[in-house]
Amino acid sequence: MSGFVTLGQFIIEKQAEFPYAKGELSRLLRDIGIAAKVVNREINKAGLVNDILGDVGTVNVQGEMQKKLDVYANDHFIGALTSGGECCMVVSEENEEVNHIESPVSKNAKYIVAIDPLDGSSNIDVNVAVGTIFSIYRRKSVEGRPTMEDVLQKGTEQVAAGYIVYGSSTMLVYTTGCGVNGFTLDPSIGEFCLSHPNMKIPKDGTIYSINEGNYKCFPDGVKKYIKYCQEEDPATHRPYTSRYIGSMIADLHRNMIKGGIYIYPTTAHAPQGKLRLVYECNPMAFILEQAGGRATNGYQRILDMEVTELHQRASIFAGSENMVLLAEEYMRQYSPLEKAVLC
Ligand code: AHG
Ligand code: MN
Ligand code: MN
């Protein structure tokens, strides 16, 4: 046997460390890994096959134009979770309401999955990295149809979370609360192989990512922090480098490896922030914290935020711990919560 460990082997080995685990979570993670490979195959064909690029002509619950691949990825992830039998409910960016899975094997399953099937989908038509984000909760009710209480759980209640980045290579990164591990898809054997064991995000970094086109409408704390990033100071390696891909997954994956901060603050167009708490911010916050990073809304830990709506939005400051701490200090000083004003 050669030296590599596949995602499937790794999941089974980890399960063996928990003698009372019955394997449901392992099977759920395996189902997500399989769906990721199918979606990856279609993404890689974008450009070759005419009927997968472009808009469907419909808008999702957020009022955003759906791409054909948004819909494809959504259908495939939900399909894999439905046939896998370990998930009783799916919350997706692409569906206004929850998806109950009511087959005899699934309806009393223990887990609920929240997904952003395709993150950064506006980049798909131009061959730039996109991603998938997932978050797994254990239902609170014991059986029958899961309730809203089952799904509106705080980020601290997540039992697992992960992302797939479809970039120059395809990677799946996940945590079950015991560190973070990354797997790279080897296309020659069609397997995710452990390539980034025990990932740790650097405590400091020199890259900041934010859509500066919205600068005029940023809170003062964010404006001052950006000025700080741009100042000349060789001792602190400033000015920092600005990088903004427009796929949060790709920006945050780069930060995971190189260090950096990603900010999507409140703006005039997005007074609560743009990104969604349940299937974008919470899973990324869980992964970042498990890797030694930090994720807040500028004032409060993302994972502690109350969840009141499926598609709730949040502002996010995420990445290297010391960078996020400093940005929060700017927020406290120049945009104190009680005086938060939008332009
Ligand atoms: P999605 O494609 O799932 O709707 O998410 C897009 C998100 C995020 O990935 C990205 O960083 C951000 O929106 C980009 O927004 P702006 O174009 O407003 O910068
Ligand atoms: Mn997204
Ligand atoms: Mn999306």
Side-chain angles (χ1 to χ4, degrees):
M1 187 67 187
S2 57
F4 61 75
V5 177
T6 67
L7 176 64
Q9 289 167 332
F10 186 86
I11 288 171
I12 289 166
E13 274 167 31
K14 286 284 154 198
Q15 190 197 322
E17 290 171 16
F18 302 98
Y20 301 109
K22 294 207 185 84
E24 291 110 324
L25 181 60
S26 302
R27 285 195 289 275
L28 187 53
L29 288 166
R30 182 207 56 194
D31 296 340
I32 291 172
I34 293 169
K37 286 194 262 186
V38 176
V39 170
N40 176 67
R41 185 192 64 200
E42 291 308 300
I43 287 173
N44 281 332
K45 283 195 285 194
L48 286 173
V49 185
N50 284 334
D51 61 357
I52 53 176
L53 284 181
D55 300 331
V56 187
T58 50
V59 292
N60 66 13
V61 58
Q62 339 279 340
E64 298 157 346
M65 188 58 81
Q66 286 181 302
K67 297 276 176 194
K68 288 177 187 159
L69 275 168
D70 279 322
V71 174
Y72 182 90
N74 192 41
D75 290 350
H76 269 274
F77 278 101
I78 294 178
L81 294 168
T82 302
S83 53
E86 306 299 347
C87 169
C88 58
M89 184 153 80
V90 184
V91 178
S92 166
E93 179 192 0
E94 301 305 329
N95 301 115
E96 182 163 6
E97 305 293 341
V98 297
N99 300 272
H100 289 278
I101 304 180
E102 305 204 281
S103 64
V105 279
S106 300
K107 68 178 184 197
N108 291 323
K110 278 189 196 155
Y111 294 103
I112 291 171
V113 177
I115 49 169
D116 176 354
L118 207 58
D119 176 64
S121 56
S122 63
N123 277 327
I124 196 81
D125 293 348
V126 292
N127 206 354
V128 170
V130 292
T132 294
I133 313 171
F134 62 91
S135 167
I136 302 177
Y137 291 86
R138 194 173 284 112
R139 64 185 290 182
K140 288 187 181 294
S141 55
V142 180
E143 56 181 9
R145 247 193 171 206
T147 62
M148 285 314 275
E149 198 195 326
D150 285 320
V151 73
L152 299 179
Q153 299 189 47
K154 277 190 189 175
T156 46
E157 302 298 306
Q158 291 172 100
V159 293
Y163 63 82
I164 297 113
V165 56
Y166 311 94
S168 44
S169 63
T170 298
M171 270 191 79
L172 186 151
V173 174
Y174 83 98
T175 182
T176 52
C178 305
V180 181
N181 290 285
F183 301 79
T184 302
L185 183 64
D186 180 339
S188 65
I189 57 168
E191 293 281 2
F192 283 106
C193 298
L194 182 63
S195 53
H196 295 62
N198 196 19
M199 291 173 82
K200 292 287 171 212
I201 178 169
K203 290 283 172 198
D204 290 288
T206 56
I207 298 175
Y208 71 101
S209 313
I210 187 166
N211 183 345
E212 287 190 67
N214 296 325
Y215 184 87
K216 208 167 146 274
C217 297
F218 286 158
D220 284 345
V222 172
K223 287 181 178 168
K224 300 268 191 206
Y225 179 71
I226 291 174
K227 284 289 157 237
Y228 168 86
C229 294
Q230 295 171 343
E231 276 161 20
E232 293 268 353
D233 179 35
T236 51
H237 309 289
R238 286 179 292 150
Y240 293 159
T241 296
S242 166
R243 289 280 182 274
Y244 189 75
I245 297 169
S247 298
M248 176 186 61
I249 282 305
D251 279 310
L252 277 176
H253 179 67
R254 185 203 51 241
N255 289 358
M256 282 279 287
I257 291 176
K258 292 189 152 187
I261 185 169
Y262 174 92
I263 305 178
Y264 209 113
T266 56
T267 67
H269 299 298
Q272 309 298 323
K274 176 183 178 188
L275 299 181
R276 279 59 54 116
L277 181 58
V278 174
Y279 41 80
E280 291 181 318
C281 301
N282 268 336
M284 292 316 295
F286 187 24
I287 295 163
L288 283 162
E289 286 195 6
Q290 283 293 315
R294 187 172 173 88
T296 75
N297 65 2
Y299 306 99
Q300 181 194 7
R301 188 177 173 223
I302 292 281
L303 296 181
D304 285 333
M305 288 178 71
E306 291 294 336
V307 183
T308 54
E309 287 170 39
L310 289 182
H311 301 286
Q312 187 173 335
R313 297 186 188 255
S315 51
I316 186 164
F317 295 64
S320 293
E321 184 176 32
N322 292 334
M323 296 182 89
V324 176
L325 282 169
L326 185 62
E328 284 173 75
E329 236 175 86
Y330 275 87
M331 289 300 283
R332 268 196 302 276
Q333 191 174 348
Y334 298 104
S335 302
L337 191 51
E338 58 283 7
K339 290 200 195 137
V341 188
L342 293 166
C343 73

